[in-house]
Amino acid sequence: MPKAKVNGDEVEFEPGMTVLQVAERAGHEIPRFCYHERLSIAGNCRMCLVEVKPGPPKPQASCALPAAENQEIFTNTPMVKKAREGVIEFLLINHPLDCPICDQGGECDLQDQAMGYGRDDSRYEENKRAVEEKHMGPLIKTVMTRCIQCTRCVRFITEVAGSSEIGLISRGEDVEITTYLGSAVTSELSANVIDLCPVGALTSRPYAFEARPWELKKTESIDVMDALGSSIRIDSRGPAVLRVLPRTNDDVNEEWISDKTRYACDGLQRQRLDKPMIREAGKLRAVTWGEAFDLVASKISAAGPEKVGVIAGDLQDAESMKAALDLFGGMGVTSLDCRQDGMTLGGGPRESWLFNSTINGIEQADAILLIGVNPRLDAPVLNARIRKQWIAGKISVGVIGEQADLTYSYDYLGAGTATLNGLAKSKSAFAEAFKNAQRPMIIVGQGALSRGDGLKAAAAAAKSFNVVREGWNGWNVLHTAASRVGGLDMGFTPKAGGKSAADLVAKGGAEVLLLMGADEMDLSATGAFVVYMGTHGDAGAHRADVILPGAAYTEKNAIYVNTEGRVQLAERAVFPKGEAREDWAILRALSERLGHKLPYDTLDALRAKLFEDHPTFGQIDYAPGSTPVSFDLSGLGGGDASDAPFTGSARPFHLTNPIARASVTMAECSALVSGAHKHAAE
């Protein structure tokens, strides 16, 4: 590898790296505003100036300068120091003196770099220019007079999010950042521009004037709004979660999160269940835990195990499902299900329900077939990965299912099972590219997973195109529920003679029905005695006869397994509301009343039992990956092929779970998007 010197320190670098990257590899910091390692190079802030030999006797922008063999790079010479002071001075000519009241205070790159690299005075006395504020929707607050035109927001929205809604207009002193025709930004990833903005021009509207960063307790955790398990940081003060920010994790979410992940947190404070309740004469009455447990235990005992059903919702943690499995499985209950959307997977090899290529493995694929899935809505961050490869010209994409704007072009092949069954014999351009691909990927979504014929056809296509081969496993299932893989891994599915979730909520399906945060089902037909264990006054609580208040994902130490089989730890940021308790602890207390006491009293003991019974849960932060593996796909799905098209989720993107539906911010976003779609249709 070629070598260069940075301030006298010799360092090896890869061909194609810039001077800025070489300097950072050598451990020398270079300030920057416009440069970002995940965006294209703009080279317009000039803050990253360095001196290079051989080269002209003047400072040069290191972000846009290719490194060369035997190059000498100087980051701290008097010339460089003077140049950086001049850049800061120019940037501050029009910047308002807002620091004491600016939302970015304490987290502002301009503030930090002005202190570290700027002058202690200014020679400019002219009037500052002012810029009108822009309307960017309910998430992004603008103070555009602060903008330094680094264009990070423009490049992110265009390149990563794939929605060209922010741009730069005018020239010279009149240049401004604005949205297209002054409309709101509707991308599912739009709020990442807040993290990217190095000044206070774009800040968080819901979080405005709530707190200063040094007042907050910061907790590293995992997101549960989808099945990706994005790495997040939860910022809280006292009992309230004030904001959620992304953490860098190149294997999962890089450094992006969806708007739902970031802003649904205000739903954690609203419509919460904080006391046990019993329904009497059609009305709920607050009771003690003892009264609630006695009533539940008497109903379960009277019904008998064959008449009891348990359904786990989309946000359940592994510990609570394990406790339910041990308690009710030990009592002989066979009707347990974690698949409230009707998915037919489960019971086969673990690889059959995982995203085997891994999320990071998308960057190795050269052809992707999407079956019954809309990754832009089901997993926006994963969709950005696919777009990243598409921009680089490294993949071709085919779609079978609903047509939608995925932010990249694709070959639309058809709508349902008939197209999928005929794909192997098709002479289309995509079919040929998929046959010849070295690393083909099939991504199966809920549209096909909820139908036996769709899953069967997808498995047959995977076998026909040999997507599972030596060194590569291209069979991928994209789940939408954070609890799903964990539930399937531990066998939280109906046993012999047991009923599925759909059968349990049907008329006569059960006498006693325990809903563990299950709110996405139609409960109008069931005549069962419903026990709801959850966090919010959503659909399950409205139908419940007994309510046992549980803890949200920010209020407990818990294990989740993401769609690629990666076991992840969520950390408690705040305590449960009121008398609410962690779900596993509720089940542990209920087990004593039922006469089937669970053999663990602490979370550590429960996890030890979980790891003993299901060893994969002990492999923290490990994704099985596309290791050479042979497993039989022929047993997946079943039934006669249907001509009906694969359909995605009918739930709006911003309102997919009880926390999001309780969020005022998510309601505003949903109204904005539905209004935009209605306007487009007209």
Side-chain angles (χ1 to χ4, degrees):
M1 293 202 319
K3 296 180 180 179
K5 285 187 177 180
V6 183
N7 296 333
D9 299 332
E10 190 171 77
V11 59
E12 291 186 341
F13 64 91
E14 298 174 9
M17 294 182 74
T18 64
V19 168
L20 186 149
Q21 292 170 321
V22 172
E24 296 224 320
R25 174 170 283 198
H28 296 273
E29 181 184 10
I30 295 181
R32 82 293 298 269
F33 290 116
C34 70
Y35 175 79
H36 192 279
E37 53 271 15
R38 301 190 196 277
L39 304 177
S40 63
I41 295 172
N44 56 6
C45 78
R46 319 310 287 181
M47 191 62 204
C48 64
L49 295 172
V50 296
E51 190 176 349
V52 177
K53 293 181 180 178
K58 64 177 183 180
Q60 299 190 65
S62 61
C63 70
L65 182 65
E69 177 78 45
N70 297 324
Q71 199 172 43
E72 291 188 72
I73 303 165
F74 301 94
T75 68
N76 53 10
T77 63
M79 179 195 294
V80 172
K81 184 175 183 294
K82 183 178 180 181
R84 290 175 180 169
E85 288 178 351
V87 170
I88 287 285
E89 192 173 7
F90 274 117
L91 290 176
L92 294 177
I93 289 174
N94 287 313
H95 199 78
L97 300 175
D98 282 353
C99 294
I101 54 98
C102 178
D103 289 336
Q104 200 86 350
E107 299 173 316
C108 178
D109 291 349
L110 182 60
Q111 197 175 58
D112 295 341
Q113 293 185 38
M115 289 292 293
Y117 302 99
R119 294 166 55 98
D120 59 0
D121 65 335
S122 175
R123 293 168 287 180
Y124 288 87
E125 298 178 355
E126 290 78 5
N127 292 330
K128 295 178 181 290
R129 81 163 185 166
V131 182
E132 288 185 358
E133 307 311 338
K134 306 297 187 294
H135 172 67
M136 292 192 179
L139 305 181
I140 305 170
K141 175 190 170 189
T142 66
V143 185
M144 300 313 294
T145 301
R146 301 171 185 164
C147 181
I148 61 171
Q149 290 85 46
C150 70
T151 68
R152 280 186 178 183
C153 55
V154 177
R155 285 175 283 148
F156 172 82
I157 285 291
T158 304
E159 298 166 9
V160 179
S163 178
S164 301
E165 298 176 296
I166 301 178
L168 199 67
I169 62 170
S170 301
R171 300 178 68 181
E173 188 184 24
D174 297 325
V175 70
E176 294 182 25
I177 298 286
T178 186
T179 55
Y180 182 68
L181 296 180
S183 58
V185 183
T186 59
S187 168
E188 297 79 15
L189 298 168
S190 65
N192 287 288
V193 300
I194 294 168
D195 297 332
L196 290 171
C197 184
V199 295
L202 304 178
T203 55
S204 172
R205 187 177 293 277
Y207 176 69
F209 309 119
E210 287 290 330
R212 287 297 195 184
W214 52 84
E215 300 174 337
L216 303 174
K217 173 189 170 188
K218 301 169 179 63
T219 307
E220 295 186 352
S221 191
I222 298 300
D223 171 53
V224 299
M225 293 294 133
D226 56 31
L228 243 59
S230 299
S231 296
I232 60 173
R233 193 187 85 193
I234 301 169
D235 286 0
S236 59
R237 184 178 60 188
V241 173
L242 296 185
R243 66 175 179 178
V244 171
L245 297 177
R247 287 189 292 125
T248 300
N249 185 342
D250 287 334
D251 290 331
V252 181
N253 59 305
E254 297 183 293
E255 57 188 87
W256 320 124
I257 53 174
S258 72
D259 292 348
K260 182 166 57 177
T261 297
R262 186 185 299 266
Y263 283 121
C265 60
D266 67 318
L268 293 166
Q269 313 301 324
R270 296 182 172 89
Q271 300 180 17
R272 290 300 302 270
L273 303 174
D274 58 0
K275 293 180 180 178
M277 296 184 187
I278 291 175
R279 191 177 298 276
E280 295 177 345
K283 294 184 178 181
L284 290 169
R285 175 176 66 88
V287 296
T288 64
W289 278 103
E291 290 179 87
F293 285 148
D294 287 342
L295 179 58
V296 173
S298 65
K299 292 290 184 179
I300 292 175
S301 299
E306 67 281 355
K307 294 292 185 179
V308 175
V310 183
I311 302 175
D314 292 350
L315 306 184
Q316 285 305 117
D317 56 281
E319 291 92 342
S320 65
M321 289 189 287
K322 174 60 176 170
L325 201 61
D326 287 350
L327 172 57
F328 293 101
M331 294 173 60
V333 175
T334 57
S335 299
L336 303 99
D337 205 350
C338 65
R339 307 166 301 179
Q340 58 176 341
D341 55 11
M343 188 187 74
T344 57
L345 268 176
R350 187 181 189 225
E351 292 81 7
S352 65
W353 58 73
L354 295 185
F355 200 96
N356 293 288
S357 301
T358 73
I359 298 166
N360 198 23
I362 290 173
E363 299 187 15
Q364 301 175 32
D366 46 9
I368 298 179
L369 175 61
L370 304 177
I371 304 174
V373 62
N374 182 342
R376 181 174 178 180
L377 300 182
D378 294 343
V381 175
L382 182 140
N383 193 63
R385 287 264 193 174
I386 299 176
R387 175 175 168 80
K388 181 180 178 181
Q389 284 297 94
W390 175 78
I391 286 179
K394 297 180 180 179
I395 59 168
S396 54
V397 182
V399 171
I400 297 178
E402 290 184 319
Q403 280 186 288
D405 178 9
L406 299 181
T407 73
Y408 42 83
S409 61
Y410 55 82
D411 293 311
Y412 184 68
L413 307 173
T417 306
T419 304
L420 192 51
N421 286 332
L423 188 62
K425 298 179 181 178
S426 172
K427 300 298 182 182
S428 66
F430 176 80
E432 293 298 321
F434 203 62
K435 290 174 186 175
N436 299 325
Q438 297 299 310
R439 289 185 172 86
M441 285 180 65
I442 284 179
I443 300 179
V444 188
Q446 296 303 315
L449 294 173
S450 58
R451 287 172 40 182
D453 66 314
L455 185 56
K456 181 179 180 180
K463 191 171 183 179
S464 298
F465 288 101
N466 190 30
V467 300
V468 181
R469 58 186 69 173
E470 185 68 25
W472 179 253
N473 188 341
W475 171 260
N476 300 287
V477 174
L478 181 58
H479 296 282
T480 56
S483 65
R484 187 62 47 80
V485 174
L488 295 176
D489 282 351
M490 69 176 66
F492 204 100
T493 51
K495 305 301 182 284
K499 297 179 180 179
S500 68
D503 293 334
L504 286 172
V505 298
K507 186 175 181 180
E511 286 187 15
V512 178
L513 184 59
L514 173 62
L515 302 178
M516 300 171 59
D519 294 275
E520 319 306 328
M521 307 186 73
D522 182 4
L523 302 171
S524 59
T526 182
F529 182 86
V530 177
V531 181
Y532 179 77
M533 183 172 66
T535 59
H536 285 73
D538 208 80
H542 280 277
R543 174 58 186 81
D545 296 292
V546 175
I547 292 176
L548 307 176
Y553 75 104
T554 57
E555 300 163 2
K556 56 188 174 185
N557 296 310
I559 290 175
Y560 292 92
V561 187
N562 79 345
T563 192
E564 59 182 352
R566 184 185 301 273
V567 180
Q568 300 172 299
L569 296 177
E571 300 292 336
R572 181 173 62 197
V574 295
F575 287 93
K577 307 301 179 195
E579 298 179 33
R581 296 292 182 267
E582 295 180 23
D583 296 357
W584 76 266
I586 295 173
L587 292 168
R588 166 63 180 79
L590 178 61
S591 69
E592 288 200 62
R593 302 299 178 103
L594 289 169
H596 292 268
K597 182 179 176 181
L598 292 172
Y600 31 77
D601 298 321
T602 65
L603 183 63
D604 288 341
L606 168 53
R607 285 181 174 175
K609 183 75 162 56
L610 175 63
F611 298 162
E612 178 185 350
D613 294 347
H614 310 282
T616 57
F617 284 91
Q619 300 171 342
I620 306 299
D621 202 33
Y622 167 75
S626 54
T627 51
V629 62
S630 176
F631 61 96
D632 187 14
L633 290 169
S634 60
L636 300 183
D640 297 332
S642 168
D643 292 333
F646 298 136
T647 57
S649 172
R651 298 176 292 171
F653 166 74
H654 298 95
L655 305 175
T656 54
N657 59 63
I659 298 173
R661 286 191 288 272
S663 166
V664 172
T665 306
M666 289 296 97
E668 292 175 351
C669 290
S670 181
L672 174 68
V673 172
S674 60
H677 289 169
K678 181 179 179 181
H679 180 72
E682 292 173 351

